[in-house]
Amino acid sequence: MDLTQRPPYTSIDFKALAKKDASFKQAWQKCSGHLDFHDPVTVQTLSTAILAVDFGLSLSLPPDRLCPPIPNRWNYISWLQSLLDSTSPHYTTGYDPSRKVIGLDIGTGASAIYTMLCLKSRPGWTMCATDVDAKSFSSAARNLALNSLMTRTKLLQTMPDSPLIPLSALGVERLDFTICNPPFFIDVADMRASLGGESKTLKPNAVCTGAEVEMVCPGGDLGFVTRIVNESLVLREKVGWYSSLLGKLSSAKSIIEMLKQHGITNWAVGVIDTGSATKRWVVAWSFGDLRPSNVRPSLDWNFS
Ligand code: SAH
């Protein structure tokens, strides 16, 4: 499979997946074609099958840590790859196999999902990955080892108040990009309200198996990404593209406003829409002057 140009997901063909993955086939037959996205085992079977069939990756997760929905995670990476490809310092337009790229996955989680997808789809890339949670950190290491990706990754366990982009602790001079799926919620009540659907119109369509450290941080997604913005104001061109997923459109808008206030004019925003009920937003910004073009469809240029 050529993963270097793999397009984003718009839907999943469950029938075709069941033909290629025995465990998923069992789950698919048992539910007579109506998958229960509130059942953690079903969700994990689905993610494991997509990773195996579409990416040739294995996944091992503790039961009490987040099981990543793969289409959502891949679509962010696909978007970021288009952004990087269209802003290459060598002025190439598409994927350039000879370009050496180094990225940082902030809060890699138990799955190390972004790191694994980046490394698997781009052979010339290397990754750094951090996490504050000991259990997720050791599980991330296990997944990287399981997929023989450890030699291309620098893993660093950080502390909650460590820099989110710890260049010197990682021993790197500069990075081409950062990628991040921050904890979305400001506290447990905020998380319950969102996931329980008490105050939101949109309910997530899949069960959330995340632990509190994965879901909650001071200021929620906006607080976490504000920290990245503040670090970027100091690091500037030491990172080519800073980026993060945001759980709420309002948070994405606030980040764009913040970038404008700091005089940062080179930014891009995208919608991560995998065809399910849950939409996410991704924002990237740069202190360099190479502006993105031809970014794949999930990029919404008319964002306002
Ligand atoms: N990247 C994974 C996990 C996202 S959950 C995925 O997309 O599925 C958010 C992750 O950020 C958790 O693993 C949590 O432990 C980690 N995290 C929380 N605060 C952090 C911090 N200050 N620095 C680094 N990671 C942090």
Side-chain angles (χ1 to χ4, degrees), residues 66 73 107-109 113-114 131-133 160 164 181 183 213-214 224:
L66 206 62
R73 301 302 194 267
T108 191
I113 188 65
Y114 289 135
D131 210 291
V132 288
D133 175 42
L164 294 176
N181 178 9
V213 64
E214 299 175 288
F224 203 89

Side-chain angles (χ1 to χ4, degrees), residues 285-301:
W285 65 99
S286 175
F287 292 83
D289 49 15
L290 289 162
R291 297 199 177 244
S293 63
N294 288 332
V295 178
R296 287 209 176 102
S298 53
L299 186 67
D300 178 8
W301 289 108

